mmCIF file of all heavy atoms in Angstrom:
data_model
loop_
_atom_site.group_PDB
_atom_site.id
_atom_site.type_symbol
_atom_site.label_atom_id
_atom_site.label_comp_id
_atom_site.label_asym_id
_atom_site.label_seq_id
_atom_site.Cartn_x
_atom_site.Cartn_y
_atom_site.Cartn_z
ATOM 1 N N MET A 137 -17.301 -77.723 -158.257
ATOM 2 C CA MET A 137 -18.611 -77.565 -158.894
ATOM 3 C C MET A 137 -18.915 -78.847 -159.658
ATOM 4 O O MET A 137 -18.092 -79.336 -160.416
ATOM 5 C CB MET A 137 -18.580 -76.371 -159.851
ATOM 6 C CG MET A 137 -19.867 -76.174 -160.630
ATOM 7 S SD MET A 137 -19.843 -74.821 -161.828
ATOM 8 C CE MET A 137 -19.940 -73.405 -160.778
ATOM 9 N N SER A 138 -20.109 -79.347 -159.440
ATOM 10 C CA SER A 138 -20.512 -80.566 -160.133
ATOM 11 C C SER A 138 -20.774 -80.252 -161.596
ATOM 12 O O SER A 138 -20.989 -79.100 -161.990
ATOM 13 C CB SER A 138 -21.762 -81.154 -159.489
ATOM 14 O OG SER A 138 -22.900 -80.360 -159.812
ATOM 15 N N LEU A 139 -20.769 -81.288 -162.389
ATOM 16 C CA LEU A 139 -21.039 -81.141 -163.812
ATOM 17 C C LEU A 139 -22.442 -80.583 -164.038
ATOM 18 O O LEU A 139 -22.661 -79.722 -164.891
ATOM 19 C CB LEU A 139 -20.860 -82.497 -164.508
ATOM 20 C CG LEU A 139 -20.680 -82.483 -166.010
ATOM 21 C CD1 LEU A 139 -19.541 -81.563 -166.419
ATOM 22 C CD2 LEU A 139 -20.464 -83.880 -166.528
ATOM 23 N N LYS A 140 -23.405 -81.057 -163.246
ATOM 24 C CA LYS A 140 -24.780 -80.585 -163.367
ATOM 25 C C LYS A 140 -24.846 -79.081 -163.052
ATOM 26 O O LYS A 140 -25.504 -78.321 -163.793
ATOM 27 C CB LYS A 140 -25.686 -81.361 -162.428
ATOM 28 C CG LYS A 140 -27.152 -80.979 -162.537
ATOM 29 C CD LYS A 140 -28.007 -81.843 -161.632
ATOM 30 C CE LYS A 140 -29.466 -81.429 -161.745
ATOM 31 N NZ LYS A 140 -30.328 -82.230 -160.892
ATOM 32 N N ALA A 141 -24.191 -78.638 -162.026
ATOM 33 C CA ALA A 141 -24.188 -77.225 -161.662
ATOM 34 C C ALA A 141 -23.500 -76.390 -162.748
ATOM 35 O O ALA A 141 -23.953 -75.295 -163.093
ATOM 36 C CB ALA A 141 -23.503 -77.022 -160.318
ATOM 37 N N PHE A 142 -22.411 -76.919 -163.285
ATOM 38 C CA PHE A 142 -21.677 -76.223 -164.343
ATOM 39 C C PHE A 142 -22.587 -75.978 -165.555
ATOM 40 O O PHE A 142 -22.681 -74.878 -166.067
ATOM 41 C CB PHE A 142 -20.448 -77.034 -164.747
ATOM 42 C CG PHE A 142 -19.776 -76.505 -165.992
ATOM 43 C CD1 PHE A 142 -18.984 -75.371 -165.939
ATOM 44 C CD2 PHE A 142 -19.970 -77.139 -167.215
ATOM 45 C CE1 PHE A 142 -18.373 -74.888 -167.089
ATOM 46 C CE2 PHE A 142 -19.372 -76.655 -168.353
ATOM 47 C CZ PHE A 142 -18.561 -75.527 -168.288
ATOM 48 N N PHE A 143 -23.256 -77.044 -165.988
ATOM 49 C CA PHE A 143 -24.130 -76.911 -167.156
ATOM 50 C C PHE A 143 -25.343 -76.019 -166.863
ATOM 51 O O PHE A 143 -25.839 -75.330 -167.740
ATOM 52 C CB PHE A 143 -24.541 -78.281 -167.696
ATOM 53 C CG PHE A 143 -23.459 -78.918 -168.516
ATOM 54 C CD1 PHE A 143 -22.793 -80.036 -168.051
ATOM 55 C CD2 PHE A 143 -23.091 -78.378 -169.736
ATOM 56 C CE1 PHE A 143 -21.791 -80.613 -168.816
ATOM 57 C CE2 PHE A 143 -22.086 -78.945 -170.503
ATOM 58 C CZ PHE A 143 -21.431 -80.078 -170.038
ATOM 59 N N SER A 144 -25.792 -76.037 -165.623
ATOM 60 C CA SER A 144 -26.899 -75.157 -165.246
ATOM 61 C C SER A 144 -26.476 -73.691 -165.349
ATOM 62 O O SER A 144 -27.209 -72.855 -165.906
ATOM 63 C CB SER A 144 -27.344 -75.470 -163.804
ATOM 64 O OG SER A 144 -28.369 -74.594 -163.426
ATOM 65 N N VAL A 145 -25.296 -73.377 -164.865
ATOM 66 C CA VAL A 145 -24.767 -72.006 -164.967
ATOM 67 C C VAL A 145 -24.523 -71.650 -166.422
ATOM 68 O O VAL A 145 -24.872 -70.549 -166.865
ATOM 69 C CB VAL A 145 -23.481 -71.865 -164.120
ATOM 70 C CG1 VAL A 145 -22.782 -70.532 -164.407
ATOM 71 C CG2 VAL A 145 -23.787 -71.986 -162.640
ATOM 72 N N LEU A 146 -23.963 -72.569 -167.165
ATOM 73 C CA LEU A 146 -23.705 -72.336 -168.584
ATOM 74 C C LEU A 146 -25.003 -72.073 -169.347
ATOM 75 O O LEU A 146 -25.108 -71.114 -170.134
ATOM 76 C CB LEU A 146 -22.978 -73.547 -169.199
ATOM 77 C CG LEU A 146 -22.624 -73.451 -170.674
ATOM 78 C CD1 LEU A 146 -21.689 -72.286 -170.951
ATOM 79 C CD2 LEU A 146 -22.009 -74.762 -171.145
ATOM 80 N N PHE A 147 -26.018 -72.875 -169.087
ATOM 81 C CA PHE A 147 -27.302 -72.709 -169.759
ATOM 82 C C PHE A 147 -27.931 -71.370 -169.397
ATOM 83 O O PHE A 147 -28.477 -70.666 -170.254
ATOM 84 C CB PHE A 147 -28.237 -73.866 -169.400
ATOM 85 C CG PHE A 147 -29.554 -73.812 -170.105
ATOM 86 C CD1 PHE A 147 -29.632 -74.054 -171.475
ATOM 87 C CD2 PHE A 147 -30.724 -73.519 -169.413
ATOM 88 C CE1 PHE A 147 -30.847 -73.996 -172.144
ATOM 89 C CE2 PHE A 147 -31.942 -73.475 -170.080
ATOM 90 C CZ PHE A 147 -31.995 -73.715 -171.448
ATOM 91 N N SER A 148 -27.846 -70.978 -168.129
ATOM 92 C CA SER A 148 -28.386 -69.677 -167.700
ATOM 93 C C SER A 148 -27.688 -68.535 -168.432
ATOM 94 O O SER A 148 -28.329 -67.573 -168.867
ATOM 95 C CB SER A 148 -28.227 -69.506 -166.200
ATOM 96 O OG SER A 148 -29.019 -70.437 -165.502
ATOM 97 N N GLY A 149 -26.384 -68.659 -168.559
ATOM 98 C CA GLY A 149 -25.623 -67.638 -169.282
ATOM 99 C C GLY A 149 -26.019 -67.570 -170.755
ATOM 100 O O GLY A 149 -26.140 -66.480 -171.320
ATOM 101 N N LEU A 150 -26.232 -68.722 -171.353
ATOM 102 C CA LEU A 150 -26.646 -68.747 -172.762
ATOM 103 C C LEU A 150 -28.043 -68.157 -172.943
ATOM 104 O O LEU A 150 -28.319 -67.470 -173.927
ATOM 105 C CB LEU A 150 -26.610 -70.185 -173.290
ATOM 106 C CG LEU A 150 -25.198 -70.764 -173.498
ATOM 107 C CD1 LEU A 150 -25.293 -72.230 -173.864
ATOM 108 C CD2 LEU A 150 -24.434 -69.986 -174.533
ATOM 109 N N GLN A 151 -28.931 -68.406 -171.986
ATOM 110 C CA GLN A 151 -30.267 -67.829 -172.055
ATOM 111 C C GLN A 151 -30.188 -66.291 -171.970
ATOM 112 O O GLN A 151 -30.894 -65.591 -172.704
ATOM 113 C CB GLN A 151 -31.162 -68.360 -170.935
ATOM 114 C CG GLN A 151 -31.623 -69.780 -171.163
ATOM 115 C CD GLN A 151 -32.475 -70.269 -170.017
ATOM 116 O OE1 GLN A 151 -32.149 -70.090 -168.843
ATOM 117 N NE2 GLN A 151 -33.585 -70.910 -170.346
ATOM 118 N N LEU A 152 -29.359 -65.799 -171.078
ATOM 119 C CA LEU A 152 -29.189 -64.343 -170.931
ATOM 120 C C LEU A 152 -28.605 -63.754 -172.212
ATOM 121 O O LEU A 152 -29.069 -62.708 -172.696
ATOM 122 C CB LEU A 152 -28.269 -64.038 -169.752
ATOM 123 C CG LEU A 152 -27.992 -62.565 -169.477
ATOM 124 C CD1 LEU A 152 -29.266 -61.788 -169.230
ATOM 125 C CD2 LEU A 152 -27.033 -62.424 -168.323
ATOM 126 N N LEU A 153 -27.621 -64.425 -172.787
ATOM 127 C CA LEU A 153 -27.026 -63.966 -174.032
ATOM 128 C C LEU A 153 -28.043 -63.946 -175.166
ATOM 129 O O LEU A 153 -28.108 -62.975 -175.940
ATOM 130 C CB LEU A 153 -25.839 -64.851 -174.402
ATOM 131 C CG LEU A 153 -25.049 -64.474 -175.647
ATOM 132 C CD1 LEU A 153 -24.499 -63.065 -175.540
ATOM 133 C CD2 LEU A 153 -23.942 -65.474 -175.887
ATOM 134 N N ALA A 154 -28.875 -64.960 -175.235
ATOM 135 C CA ALA A 154 -29.911 -65.023 -176.277
ATOM 136 C C ALA A 154 -30.918 -63.872 -176.095
ATOM 137 O O ALA A 154 -31.337 -63.250 -177.067
ATOM 138 C CB ALA A 154 -30.620 -66.365 -176.242
ATOM 139 N N LYS A 155 -31.268 -63.595 -174.852
ATOM 140 C CA LYS A 155 -32.203 -62.507 -174.578
ATOM 141 C C LYS A 155 -31.610 -61.161 -174.980
ATOM 142 O O LYS A 155 -32.273 -60.351 -175.623
ATOM 143 C CB LYS A 155 -32.567 -62.493 -173.096
ATOM 144 C CG LYS A 155 -33.586 -61.453 -172.705
ATOM 145 C CD LYS A 155 -33.924 -61.521 -171.232
ATOM 146 C CE LYS A 155 -34.934 -60.461 -170.853
ATOM 147 N NZ LYS A 155 -35.262 -60.515 -169.421
ATOM 148 N N ARG A 156 -30.359 -60.937 -174.623
ATOM 149 C CA ARG A 156 -29.678 -59.685 -174.999
ATOM 150 C C ARG A 156 -29.547 -59.563 -176.504
ATOM 151 O O ARG A 156 -29.727 -58.473 -177.061
ATOM 152 C CB ARG A 156 -28.303 -59.611 -174.342
ATOM 153 C CG ARG A 156 -28.331 -59.258 -172.898
ATOM 154 C CD ARG A 156 -26.928 -59.065 -172.395
ATOM 155 N NE ARG A 156 -26.920 -58.492 -171.082
ATOM 156 C CZ ARG A 156 -25.834 -58.338 -170.350
ATOM 157 N NH1 ARG A 156 -24.660 -58.719 -170.837
ATOM 158 N NH2 ARG A 156 -25.901 -57.826 -169.159
ATOM 159 N N THR A 157 -29.238 -60.664 -177.159
ATOM 160 C CA THR A 157 -29.096 -60.645 -178.617
ATOM 161 C C THR A 157 -30.424 -60.272 -179.273
ATOM 162 O O THR A 157 -30.467 -59.460 -180.202
ATOM 163 C CB THR A 157 -28.615 -62.028 -179.118
ATOM 164 O OG1 THR A 157 -27.337 -62.302 -178.526
ATOM 165 C CG2 THR A 157 -28.472 -62.041 -180.628
ATOM 166 N N GLU A 158 -31.521 -60.830 -178.780
ATOM 167 C CA GLU A 158 -32.846 -60.510 -179.309
ATOM 168 C C GLU A 158 -33.189 -59.035 -179.065
ATOM 169 O O GLU A 158 -33.740 -58.367 -179.935
ATOM 170 C CB GLU A 158 -33.904 -61.424 -178.700
ATOM 171 C CG GLU A 158 -35.324 -61.135 -179.151
ATOM 172 C CD GLU A 158 -35.550 -61.295 -180.651
ATOM 173 O OE1 GLU A 158 -34.744 -61.924 -181.337
ATOM 174 O OE2 GLU A 158 -36.569 -60.761 -181.136
ATOM 175 N N GLN A 159 -32.855 -58.531 -177.902
ATOM 176 C CA GLN A 159 -33.115 -57.129 -177.585
ATOM 177 C C GLN A 159 -32.316 -56.222 -178.520
ATOM 178 O O GLN A 159 -32.834 -55.200 -179.005
ATOM 179 C CB GLN A 159 -32.775 -56.812 -176.130
ATOM 180 C CG GLN A 159 -33.729 -57.418 -175.136
ATOM 181 C CD GLN A 159 -33.249 -57.286 -173.696
ATOM 182 O OE1 GLN A 159 -32.062 -57.067 -173.425
ATOM 183 N NE2 GLN A 159 -34.169 -57.428 -172.765
ATOM 184 N N GLU A 160 -31.082 -56.563 -178.798
ATOM 185 C CA GLU A 160 -30.248 -55.785 -179.707
ATOM 186 C C GLU A 160 -30.795 -55.832 -181.131
ATOM 187 O O GLU A 160 -30.773 -54.842 -181.855
ATOM 188 C CB GLU A 160 -28.795 -56.254 -179.667
ATOM 189 C CG GLU A 160 -28.051 -55.769 -178.453
ATOM 190 C CD GLU A 160 -27.970 -54.245 -178.414
ATOM 191 O OE1 GLU A 160 -27.593 -53.611 -179.404
ATOM 192 O OE2 GLU A 160 -28.312 -53.678 -177.355
ATOM 193 N N ARG A 161 -31.289 -57.004 -181.552
ATOM 194 C CA ARG A 161 -31.876 -57.138 -182.881
ATOM 195 C C ARG A 161 -33.110 -56.252 -182.999
ATOM 196 O O ARG A 161 -33.290 -55.556 -184.007
ATOM 197 C CB ARG A 161 -32.245 -58.600 -183.172
ATOM 198 C CG ARG A 161 -32.710 -58.815 -184.624
ATOM 199 C CD ARG A 161 -33.438 -60.136 -184.803
ATOM 200 N NE ARG A 161 -34.632 -60.262 -183.985
ATOM 201 C CZ ARG A 161 -35.801 -59.640 -184.248
ATOM 202 N NH1 ARG A 161 -35.916 -58.856 -185.303
ATOM 203 N NH2 ARG A 161 -36.835 -59.814 -183.457
ATOM 204 N N GLN A 162 -33.929 -56.259 -181.957
ATOM 205 C CA GLN A 162 -35.141 -55.424 -181.975
ATOM 206 C C GLN A 162 -34.763 -53.938 -182.001
ATOM 207 O O GLN A 162 -35.404 -53.156 -182.718
ATOM 208 C CB GLN A 162 -36.019 -55.726 -180.762
ATOM 209 C CG GLN A 162 -36.667 -57.079 -180.826
ATOM 210 C CD GLN A 162 -37.413 -57.454 -179.562
ATOM 211 O OE1 GLN A 162 -37.377 -56.729 -178.562
ATOM 212 N NE2 GLN A 162 -38.085 -58.588 -179.575
ATOM 213 N N ARG A 163 -33.735 -53.558 -181.254
ATOM 214 C CA ARG A 163 -33.285 -52.163 -181.252
ATOM 215 C C ARG A 163 -32.771 -51.771 -182.636
ATOM 216 O O ARG A 163 -33.100 -50.695 -183.148
ATOM 217 C CB ARG A 163 -32.185 -51.948 -180.211
ATOM 218 C CG ARG A 163 -31.742 -50.479 -180.108
ATOM 219 C CD ARG A 163 -30.424 -50.344 -179.371
ATOM 220 N NE ARG A 163 -29.336 -51.041 -180.018
ATOM 221 C CZ ARG A 163 -28.702 -50.630 -181.112
ATOM 222 N NH1 ARG A 163 -29.036 -49.493 -181.676
ATOM 223 N NH2 ARG A 163 -27.715 -51.336 -181.626
ATOM 224 N N ALA A 164 -32.023 -52.660 -183.249
ATOM 225 C CA ALA A 164 -31.498 -52.386 -184.600
ATOM 226 C C ALA A 164 -32.642 -52.255 -185.594
ATOM 227 O O ALA A 164 -32.598 -51.382 -186.481
ATOM 228 C CB ALA A 164 -30.532 -53.487 -185.014
ATOM 229 N N ASP A 165 -33.663 -53.090 -185.451
ATOM 230 C CA ASP A 165 -34.833 -52.992 -186.337
ATOM 231 C C ASP A 165 -35.522 -51.645 -186.179
ATOM 232 O O ASP A 165 -35.929 -51.016 -187.149
ATOM 233 C CB ASP A 165 -35.826 -54.121 -186.059
ATOM 234 C CG ASP A 165 -35.353 -55.483 -186.537
ATOM 235 O OD1 ASP A 165 -34.361 -55.553 -187.300
ATOM 236 O OD2 ASP A 165 -35.983 -56.484 -186.154
ATOM 237 N N ARG A 166 -35.675 -51.201 -184.919
ATOM 238 C CA ARG A 166 -36.318 -49.894 -184.684
ATOM 239 C C ARG A 166 -35.486 -48.760 -185.271
ATOM 240 O O ARG A 166 -36.030 -47.826 -185.874
ATOM 241 C CB ARG A 166 -36.517 -49.659 -183.176
ATOM 242 C CG ARG A 166 -37.612 -50.491 -182.563
ATOM 243 C CD ARG A 166 -37.939 -50.044 -181.150
ATOM 244 N NE ARG A 166 -36.796 -50.004 -180.241
ATOM 245 C CZ ARG A 166 -36.362 -51.006 -179.519
ATOM 246 N NH1 ARG A 166 -36.968 -52.179 -179.560
ATOM 247 N NH2 ARG A 166 -35.324 -50.851 -178.722
ATOM 248 N N GLU A 167 -34.162 -48.815 -185.103
ATOM 249 C CA GLU A 167 -33.291 -47.788 -185.659
ATOM 250 C C GLU A 167 -33.344 -47.762 -187.184
ATOM 251 O O GLU A 167 -33.345 -46.698 -187.801
ATOM 252 C CB GLU A 167 -31.851 -47.991 -185.186
ATOM 253 C CG GLU A 167 -31.638 -47.714 -183.706
ATOM 254 C CD GLU A 167 -31.871 -46.253 -183.361
ATOM 255 O OE1 GLU A 167 -31.498 -45.360 -184.141
ATOM 256 O OE2 GLU A 167 -32.466 -45.995 -182.284
ATOM 257 N N SER A 168 -33.409 -48.945 -187.791
ATOM 258 C CA SER A 168 -33.497 -49.036 -189.242
ATOM 259 C C SER A 168 -34.798 -48.415 -189.733
ATOM 260 O O SER A 168 -34.816 -47.659 -190.715
ATOM 261 C CB SER A 168 -33.399 -50.491 -189.674
ATOM 262 O OG SER A 168 -33.515 -50.601 -191.066
ATOM 263 N N LEU A 169 -35.887 -48.729 -189.058
ATOM 264 C CA LEU A 169 -37.190 -48.160 -189.426
ATOM 265 C C LEU A 169 -37.178 -46.636 -189.272
ATOM 266 O O LEU A 169 -37.688 -45.916 -190.127
ATOM 267 C CB LEU A 169 -38.289 -48.793 -188.586
ATOM 268 C CG LEU A 169 -39.726 -48.370 -188.893
ATOM 269 C CD1 LEU A 169 -40.070 -48.671 -190.362
ATOM 270 C CD2 LEU A 169 -40.691 -49.084 -187.968
ATOM 271 N N ARG A 170 -36.581 -46.169 -188.201
ATOM 272 C CA ARG A 170 -36.478 -44.724 -187.961
ATOM 273 C C ARG A 170 -35.697 -44.058 -189.092
ATOM 274 O O ARG A 170 -36.079 -43.008 -189.608
ATOM 275 C CB ARG A 170 -35.811 -44.454 -186.620
ATOM 276 C CG ARG A 170 -35.679 -42.967 -186.308
ATOM 277 C CD ARG A 170 -34.964 -42.717 -184.995
ATOM 278 N NE ARG A 170 -35.795 -43.158 -183.882
ATOM 279 C CZ ARG A 170 -35.312 -43.654 -182.760
ATOM 280 N NH1 ARG A 170 -34.000 -43.766 -182.582
ATOM 281 N NH2 ARG A 170 -36.120 -44.021 -181.791
ATOM 282 N N ALA A 171 -34.611 -44.683 -189.516
ATOM 283 C CA ALA A 171 -33.777 -44.133 -190.590
ATOM 284 C C ALA A 171 -34.554 -44.119 -191.921
ATOM 285 O O ALA A 171 -34.460 -43.156 -192.687
ATOM 286 C CB ALA A 171 -32.491 -44.936 -190.744
ATOM 287 N N GLU A 172 -35.314 -45.187 -192.181
ATOM 288 C CA GLU A 172 -36.119 -45.234 -193.405
ATOM 289 C C GLU A 172 -37.158 -44.125 -193.423
ATOM 290 O O GLU A 172 -37.385 -43.483 -194.449
ATOM 291 C CB GLU A 172 -36.801 -46.601 -193.531
ATOM 292 C CG GLU A 172 -35.849 -47.750 -193.858
ATOM 293 C CD GLU A 172 -36.543 -49.099 -193.840
ATOM 294 O OE1 GLU A 172 -37.786 -49.134 -193.968
ATOM 295 O OE2 GLU A 172 -35.832 -50.094 -193.695
ATOM 296 N N LYS A 173 -37.817 -43.903 -192.285
ATOM 297 C CA LYS A 173 -38.825 -42.845 -192.196
ATOM 298 C C LYS A 173 -38.192 -41.478 -192.401
ATOM 299 O O LYS A 173 -38.756 -40.613 -193.095
ATOM 300 C CB LYS A 173 -39.539 -42.903 -190.843
ATOM 301 C CG LYS A 173 -40.488 -44.068 -190.705
ATOM 302 C CD LYS A 173 -41.135 -44.076 -189.329
ATOM 303 C CE LYS A 173 -42.098 -45.231 -189.169
ATOM 304 N NZ LYS A 173 -42.720 -45.245 -187.822
ATOM 305 N N LEU A 174 -37.040 -41.253 -191.804
ATOM 306 C CA LEU A 174 -36.339 -39.976 -191.973
ATOM 307 C C LEU A 174 -35.934 -39.777 -193.423
ATOM 308 O O LEU A 174 -36.111 -38.679 -193.978
ATOM 309 C CB LEU A 174 -35.114 -39.909 -191.063
ATOM 310 C CG LEU A 174 -34.257 -38.650 -191.166
ATOM 311 C CD1 LEU A 174 -35.091 -37.399 -190.903
ATOM 312 C CD2 LEU A 174 -33.090 -38.730 -190.221
ATOM 313 N N ALA A 175 -35.415 -40.815 -194.048
ATOM 314 C CA ALA A 175 -35.016 -40.708 -195.454
ATOM 315 C C ALA A 175 -36.210 -40.371 -196.338
ATOM 316 O O ALA A 175 -36.104 -39.554 -197.262
ATOM 317 C CB ALA A 175 -34.352 -42.020 -195.910
ATOM 318 N N GLU A 176 -37.355 -40.969 -196.050
ATOM 319 C CA GLU A 176 -38.565 -40.688 -196.818
ATOM 320 C C GLU A 176 -39.005 -39.224 -196.625
ATOM 321 O O GLU A 176 -39.363 -38.546 -197.597
ATOM 322 C CB GLU A 176 -39.691 -41.631 -196.418
ATOM 323 C CG GLU A 176 -40.989 -41.398 -197.179
ATOM 324 C CD GLU A 176 -40.858 -41.520 -198.689
ATOM 325 O OE1 GLU A 176 -40.002 -42.275 -199.174
ATOM 326 O OE2 GLU A 176 -41.638 -40.846 -199.396
ATOM 327 N N LYS A 177 -38.945 -38.733 -195.417
ATOM 328 C CA LYS A 177 -39.297 -37.327 -195.170
ATOM 329 C C LYS A 177 -38.334 -36.382 -195.910
ATOM 330 O O LYS A 177 -38.770 -35.374 -196.467
ATOM 331 C CB LYS A 177 -39.259 -37.028 -193.669
ATOM 332 C CG LYS A 177 -40.421 -37.597 -192.908
ATOM 333 C CD LYS A 177 -40.341 -37.246 -191.432
ATOM 334 C CE LYS A 177 -41.515 -37.850 -190.680
ATOM 335 N NZ LYS A 177 -41.451 -37.531 -189.248
ATOM 336 N N LEU A 178 -37.064 -36.737 -195.931
ATOM 337 C CA LEU A 178 -36.092 -35.919 -196.650
ATOM 338 C C LEU A 178 -36.365 -35.946 -198.157
ATOM 339 O O LEU A 178 -36.306 -34.907 -198.820
ATOM 340 C CB LEU A 178 -34.663 -36.389 -196.347
ATOM 341 C CG LEU A 178 -34.174 -36.119 -194.933
ATOM 342 C CD1 LEU A 178 -32.841 -36.804 -194.696
ATOM 343 C CD2 LEU A 178 -34.060 -34.623 -194.669
ATOM 344 N N ARG A 179 -36.692 -37.115 -198.689
ATOM 345 C CA ARG A 179 -37.027 -37.213 -200.109
ATOM 346 C C ARG A 179 -38.250 -36.363 -200.442
ATOM 347 O O ARG A 179 -38.294 -35.674 -201.453
ATOM 348 C CB ARG A 179 -37.285 -38.670 -200.513
ATOM 349 C CG ARG A 179 -36.033 -39.455 -200.793
ATOM 350 C CD ARG A 179 -36.325 -40.795 -201.454
ATOM 351 N NE ARG A 179 -37.002 -41.721 -200.549
ATOM 352 C CZ ARG A 179 -36.385 -42.516 -199.671
ATOM 353 N NH1 ARG A 179 -35.085 -42.467 -199.558
ATOM 354 N NH2 ARG A 179 -37.082 -43.326 -198.892
ATOM 355 N N GLN A 180 -39.236 -36.388 -199.564
ATOM 356 C CA GLN A 180 -40.442 -35.580 -199.783
ATOM 357 C C GLN A 180 -40.126 -34.092 -199.746
ATOM 358 O O GLN A 180 -40.808 -33.293 -200.372
ATOM 359 C CB GLN A 180 -41.499 -35.922 -198.707
ATOM 360 C CG GLN A 180 -42.119 -37.284 -198.897
ATOM 361 C CD GLN A 180 -43.048 -37.666 -197.775
ATOM 362 O OE1 GLN A 180 -43.261 -36.916 -196.823
ATOM 363 N NE2 GLN A 180 -43.641 -38.870 -197.876
ATOM 364 N N ALA A 181 -39.076 -33.729 -199.017
ATOM 365 C CA ALA A 181 -38.637 -32.345 -198.948
ATOM 366 C C ALA A 181 -37.688 -31.987 -200.097
ATOM 367 O O ALA A 181 -37.177 -30.885 -200.147
ATOM 368 C CB ALA A 181 -37.970 -32.064 -197.603
ATOM 369 N N GLY A 182 -37.435 -32.964 -200.969
ATOM 370 C CA GLY A 182 -36.585 -32.705 -202.120
ATOM 371 C C GLY A 182 -35.109 -32.946 -201.879
ATOM 372 O O GLY A 182 -34.269 -32.522 -202.659
ATOM 373 N N ILE A 183 -34.794 -33.643 -200.815
ATOM 374 C CA ILE A 183 -33.391 -33.923 -200.480
ATOM 375 C C ILE A 183 -33.141 -35.416 -200.714
ATOM 376 O O ILE A 183 -33.787 -36.266 -200.132
ATOM 377 C CB ILE A 183 -33.086 -33.568 -199.017
ATOM 378 C CG1 ILE A 183 -33.368 -32.080 -198.772
ATOM 379 C CG2 ILE A 183 -31.645 -33.929 -198.666
ATOM 380 C CD1 ILE A 183 -33.358 -31.689 -197.309
ATOM 381 N N GLU A 184 -32.211 -35.690 -201.615
ATOM 382 C CA GLU A 184 -31.876 -37.086 -201.896
ATOM 383 C C GLU A 184 -30.617 -37.492 -201.130
ATOM 384 O O GLU A 184 -29.661 -36.707 -201.017
ATOM 385 C CB GLU A 184 -31.614 -37.293 -203.390
ATOM 386 C CG GLU A 184 -32.859 -37.227 -204.240
ATOM 387 C CD GLU A 184 -33.846 -38.368 -203.977
ATOM 388 O OE1 GLU A 184 -33.384 -39.499 -203.723
ATOM 389 O OE2 GLU A 184 -35.047 -38.113 -204.028
ATOM 390 N N LEU A 185 -30.612 -38.691 -200.614
ATOM 391 C CA LEU A 185 -29.465 -39.223 -199.891
ATOM 392 C C LEU A 185 -28.725 -40.203 -200.767
ATOM 393 O O LEU A 185 -29.316 -40.914 -201.572
ATOM 394 C CB LEU A 185 -29.922 -39.932 -198.604
ATOM 395 C CG LEU A 185 -30.675 -39.068 -197.600
ATOM 396 C CD1 LEU A 185 -31.150 -39.962 -196.446
ATOM 397 C CD2 LEU A 185 -29.793 -37.965 -197.061
ATOM 398 N N ASP A 186 -27.413 -40.273 -200.609
ATOM 399 C CA ASP A 186 -26.614 -41.275 -201.303
ATOM 400 C C ASP A 186 -26.749 -42.593 -200.550
ATOM 401 O O ASP A 186 -26.617 -42.640 -199.336
ATOM 402 C CB ASP A 186 -25.127 -40.883 -201.316
ATOM 403 C CG ASP A 186 -24.871 -39.673 -202.202
ATOM 404 O OD1 ASP A 186 -25.657 -39.452 -203.146
ATOM 405 O OD2 ASP A 186 -23.873 -38.967 -201.948
ATOM 406 N N ASP A 187 -27.035 -43.663 -201.279
ATOM 407 C CA ASP A 187 -27.100 -44.982 -200.662
ATOM 408 C C ASP A 187 -25.730 -45.630 -200.752
ATOM 409 O O ASP A 187 -25.413 -46.297 -201.717
ATOM 410 C CB ASP A 187 -28.137 -45.877 -201.363
ATOM 411 C CG ASP A 187 -29.550 -45.490 -201.014
ATOM 412 O OD1 ASP A 187 -29.758 -44.915 -199.930
ATOM 413 O OD2 ASP A 187 -30.448 -45.767 -201.821
ATOM 414 N N GLU A 188 -24.910 -45.411 -199.729
ATOM 415 C CA GLU A 188 -23.553 -45.954 -199.717
ATOM 416 C C GLU A 188 -23.462 -47.223 -198.926
ATOM 417 O O GLU A 188 -22.430 -47.869 -198.873
ATOM 418 C CB GLU A 188 -22.587 -44.915 -199.148
ATOM 419 C CG GLU A 188 -22.464 -43.682 -200.018
ATOM 420 C CD GLU A 188 -21.488 -42.667 -199.465
ATOM 421 O OE1 GLU A 188 -20.824 -42.977 -198.472
ATOM 422 O OE2 GLU A 188 -21.391 -41.570 -200.017
ATOM 423 N N GLU A 189 -24.539 -47.623 -198.272
ATOM 424 C CA GLU A 189 -24.492 -48.838 -197.437
ATOM 425 C C GLU A 189 -24.927 -50.046 -198.207
ATOM 426 O O GLU A 189 -25.729 -50.083 -199.045
ATOM 427 C CB GLU A 189 -25.367 -48.651 -196.220
ATOM 428 C CG GLU A 189 -24.814 -47.596 -195.317
ATOM 429 C CD GLU A 189 -25.681 -47.460 -194.053
ATOM 430 O OE1 GLU A 189 -26.298 -48.445 -193.632
ATOM 431 O OE2 GLU A 189 -25.717 -46.386 -193.501
#
């Protein structure tokens, strides 16, 4: 494998990793927002949660 081909494959792999990382960050953001909304609904219902995180 030539050096150019090696770096091309390496760059493609890094692009895929960056895309997956961004997708995971977005998923984590959505889950965090969902948890915040649920916690607010519970507070409105008179249920307090312990903030251990």
Side-chain angles (χ1 to χ4, degrees):
M137 176 183 287
S138 73
L139 198 54
K140 183 177 180 180
F142 170 77
F143 281 111
S144 178
V145 170
L146 180 62
F147 183 70
S148 294
L150 289 173
Q151 285 179 314
L152 179 59
L153 182 59
K155 183 178 179 181
R156 283 186 170 174
T157 300
E158 178 61 18
Q159 289 171 341
E160 283 298 310
R161 187 196 60 76
Q162 290 173 356
R163 184 195 60 77
D165 288 347
R166 287 191 306 272
E167 290 295 322
S168 179
L169 184 58
R170 180 182 292 148
E172 289 174 21
K173 288 179 180 180
L174 178 57
E176 180 58 29
K177 286 180 181 180
L178 290 171
R179 278 192 292 276
Q180 289 175 0
I183 301 169
E184 288 293 325
L185 299 176
D186 291 334
D187 285 335
E188 295 181 7
E189 293 183 29

